[in-house]
Amino acid sequence: MVCALSAAVCFGTATVLQAVAARAAAGTDPSGGGGPGGDAALLLRALRQWRYIAGLALDGLGFVFQIAALRSLPIYAVGAALAASLAVTAVVAARLLRVRLSGVEWAAVGVVCAGLGMLGLASGTEGERAGSDALRYAMLATAVGVLVLGLLGGRLPERGRGLVLGLAAGFGFGVVEVSVRLIDEVSVRALMGNAAVYALVLGGGAAFLALTSALQRGAVTVPTAGMVIGETIGPALIGVVWLGDRTREGLGWLAVAGFGVAVVGALALARFGEAPE
């Protein structure tokens, strides 16, 4: 659980650091980031900021922690912990960006922490089932579906576009979570012949593109909420049904309650899916 929480801290803090760097980079442009080069020029200026580089490094470190957590914990526990990165972003943004959190949002941060505490008490070890080839190819097919859904979702009317793209991103990140568990050997030959490897790469890339498109085209809250739902519930069910994830003896009810509480708390903080202006 320490690795899962460490990943959440890394991802949540990285979001704020990158936001601070982007704001500083925009401040160096008299046009406010809207001049020649547009977003690409803003990105190049942001890459000169140490905070942006630190954020990217934290993203990489968080991914390492995520992989380590998925190799030792049930998927439902890791997914809920990663959703808790929104709570980390909210708290760090309140300090570094001086964003004022409402009483409800502070309560949501507490709810997320309580849910994770319940999960920590109830979670068992990861399931012992290796996963079938059928599940590996199902993840690859899902990754392709996520890519198609993201491309089609970008053409939808504004009202439904954010939710569809957010769900697509969540499903893609969920594919990554499951695929990590389906990679047993790390030799070159084994990796080349494992469909889960291709699912991981394609699913992660499709998820990133869908989320980026959603955040560029509208409000943050709706796509982030869709992402939280997509990356937690489905992978958790796959872990329990097909990979044998279990809880500690007699504490199944506590794990279910903790999972629900953590996800609901994260949804209440969905506006921090992208650091505030």
Side-chain angles (χ1 to χ4, degrees):
M1 197 65 176
V2 172
C3 287
L5 293 176
S6 297
V9 171
C10 288
F11 291 142
T13 305
T15 297
V16 179
L17 288 176
Q18 289 163 354
V20 172
R23 292 172 67 178
T28 63
D29 182 3
S31 66
D39 292 338
L42 177 60
L43 177 59
L44 290 176
R45 287 192 297 275
L47 286 171
R48 300 171 188 164
Q49 304 274 340
W50 70 265
R51 292 181 182 86
Y52 199 87
I53 300 300
L56 292 177
L58 281 175
D59 280 333
L61 182 61
F63 185 65
V64 173
F65 279 129
Q66 178 184 354
I67 292 176
L70 287 167
R71 304 301 295 181
S72 59
L73 281 177
I75 293 176
Y76 62 79
V78 178
L82 294 180
S85 65
L86 294 174
V88 176
T89 298
V91 173
V92 177
R95 184 171 182 84
L96 294 185
L97 298 181
R98 299 184 180 181
V99 175
R100 179 170 296 181
L101 302 185
S102 67
V104 172
E105 288 171 334
W106 278 117
V109 172
V111 166
V112 169
C113 294
L116 292 177
M118 295 162 68
L119 273 174
L121 291 174
S123 296
T125 58
E126 66 169 341
E128 296 180 354
R129 299 177 192 169
S132 64
D133 287 338
L135 182 57
R136 292 180 175 86
Y137 283 105
M139 288 299 100
L140 180 56
T142 302
V144 174
V146 168
L147 182 59
V148 173
L149 182 61
L151 294 175
L152 295 178
R155 302 179 181 179
L156 292 176
E158 184 175 352
R159 175 171 295 184
R161 182 172 56 211
L163 179 60
V164 171
L165 289 174
L167 285 172
F171 292 149
F173 290 131
V175 168
V176 171
E177 294 174 17
V178 176
S179 296
V180 168
R181 286 279 299 276
L182 297 175
I183 299 174
D184 298 322
E185 298 182 35
V186 293
S187 66
V188 174
R189 177 175 294 182
L191 291 176
M192 292 293 290
N194 191 337
V197 174
Y198 303 101
L200 187 154
V201 174
L202 181 59
F208 179 79
L209 291 175
L211 184 60
T212 300
S213 178
L215 295 179
Q216 286 178 343
R217 298 189 180 192
V220 171
T221 304
V222 171
T224 302
M227 181 187 69
V228 169
I229 292 173
E231 73 176 345
T232 54
I233 297 177
L237 291 175
I238 291 174
V240 170
V241 175
W242 281 285
L243 298 177
D245 287 348
R246 293 293 181 266
T247 64
R248 294 183 181 179
E249 187 68 28
L251 293 181
W253 64 272
L254 185 61
V256 173
F259 179 85
V261 166
V263 171
V264 169
L267 290 175
L269 297 168
R271 78 179 176 102
F272 293 96
E274 183 180 56
E277 294 292 335

